[in-house]
Amino acid sequence: MFHPRVKRYIEAIKYYNESITLAEKGTEERALAYGNRSIVCLELHQYEDCLKNIRLARESNYPARLAGKLKKREADAKQALAKATKNTKGSTTPANEPAQRELKLSYTGHENMPHVAKCLQLQQNDEYGRHVVTDRPLNPGDIVMIDKPFVTVLEDPLRYVRCAYCYHETTFTLIPCEGCTVAMFCSEECLSKAHQQYHRYECAVIGDILRCSANTIPVMAIRTIALAITTFDHDLKSLKTHLDSLDESRLNAFTMNWKLTKLFIVTG
């Protein structure tokens, strides 16, 4: 993919990233992969990413026999970066992309559930079971609920393209989890957050799960459980006590105080 006659650099980076996850920390194989990533970054004028990969290569015991090439590449990247910085100094970059729209409710939110419009109410009857209704006419485009999914999972084709925690596209500088050959992260911070929240529970099995399944649903199931355990400070007894005491017939998300509640578990 990197060959001058091919120049499919992004595909090459994906293979280098995969090799990084498969190579043990501190090995020449991983160091060479970081070094190869730095070459691609230089070719694509990603000079800061090139320098970061050179640093990672050295930290992973880059072979002395190739140290001269790495040093020259570092000098070329620094020179190009300095030139690019000088050329752009004082210039302003036009805003080609519109600012991301900040979502806001179209109506006043519930007192204890500010992310849901007060016009929405939970009802239950024999025909529809539990369902949500509105007490006023709504217009197309009205925003009546703003929420984030409790569980998210990176699609498998993006494994070596995006961070497995924040999902940012940081293809050129991803670092691996040392416990599995699957997850890659954009920074030590994201790696640490993922490990604290869920990856500590899935790390040992996620590779086997993905090899056995054609989709990420099993991973999502394990991650849901992991996040539930984390919400109760990794205390399984507390989680069990909470579940045992739940009365589903009386559970109503619209009357809970979401400002104080850390987790709402839907059962059944």
Side-chain angles (χ1 to χ4, degrees), residues 15-259:
Y15 282 115
Y16 292 147
N17 285 346
E18 183 177 5
S19 70
I20 287 168
T21 66
L22 295 170
E24 293 185 9
K25 184 178 182 180
T27 60
E28 182 175 310
E29 287 80 6
R30 182 178 289 187
L32 290 174
Y34 283 135
N36 289 339
R37 273 201 330 198
S38 72
I39 302 174
V40 177
C41 291
L42 189 63
E43 290 289 335
L44 296 177
H45 303 168
Q46 302 287 334
Y47 304 121
E48 291 184 356
D49 291 342
C50 175
L51 293 173
K52 183 174 182 178
N53 277 293
I54 289 173
R55 176 178 59 78
L56 290 169
R58 285 175 175 152
E59 290 175 355
S60 191
N61 299 319
Y62 196 76
R65 67 181 185 278
L66 300 174
K69 292 183 177 181
L70 202 65
K71 187 175 182 179
K72 182 181 184 305
R73 193 176 308 139
E74 180 181 37
D76 292 342
K78 286 182 176 179
Q79 182 180 1
L81 182 61
K83 183 178 180 181
T85 303
K86 182 179 180 180
N87 291 338
T88 57
K89 189 175 182 179
S91 64
T92 57
T93 303
N96 295 323
E97 297 184 3
Q100 185 175 359
R101 180 188 176 194
E102 182 180 356
L103 296 179
K104 295 183 178 180
L105 291 180
S106 302
Y107 307 95
T108 303
H110 281 264
E111 180 180 354
N112 293 330
M113 196 165 51
H115 59 289
V116 177
K118 196 173 182 178
C119 62
L120 299 185
Q121 303 294 330
L122 184 66
Q123 294 187 0
Q124 183 167 346
N125 57 35
D126 294 336
E127 183 178 1
Y128 297 111
R130 289 202 303 180
H131 59 284
V132 176
V133 299
T134 176
D135 63 6
R136 72 183 67 184
L138 300 178
N139 300 312
D142 281 353
I143 299 174
V144 294
M145 182 181 297
I146 301 173
D147 204 3
K148 294 181 179 180
F150 180 59
V151 181
T152 56
V153 176
L154 189 67
E155 288 289 341
D156 195 56
L158 300 175
R159 188 192 308 175
Y160 306 119
V161 177
R162 294 181 178 270
C163 174
Y165 179 77
C166 70
Y167 306 127
H168 287 166
E169 188 172 333
T170 49
T171 315
F172 302 107
T173 55
L174 289 172
I175 58 175
C177 166
E178 300 297 350
C180 67
T181 59
V182 175
M184 299 194 81
F185 302 92
C186 65
S187 64
E188 292 289 346
E189 181 182 2
C190 277
L191 191 159
S192 177
K193 287 181 178 179
H195 185 267
Q196 289 295 324
Q197 293 179 21
Y198 56 81
H199 193 59
R200 62 166 72 179
Y201 297 107
E202 67 183 22
C203 182
V205 296
I206 189 172
D208 291 332
I209 291 174
L210 290 173
R211 280 189 289 271
C212 295
S213 176
N215 56 57
T216 56
I217 293 177
V219 176
M220 186 172 293
I222 290 180
R223 190 166 294 181
T224 301
I225 298 171
L227 285 168
I229 296 172
T230 300
T231 303
F232 284 84
D233 296 325
H234 309 282
D235 188 340
L236 288 174
K237 290 184 178 180
S238 295
L239 175 58
K240 184 178 186 302
T241 300
H242 173 75
L243 293 174
D244 290 343
S245 64
L246 275 179
D247 184 354
E248 294 182 36
S249 64
R250 302 178 62 181
L251 200 60
N252 186 342
F254 283 68
T255 60
M256 295 176 63
N257 189 342
W258 284 77
K259 294 179 180 179

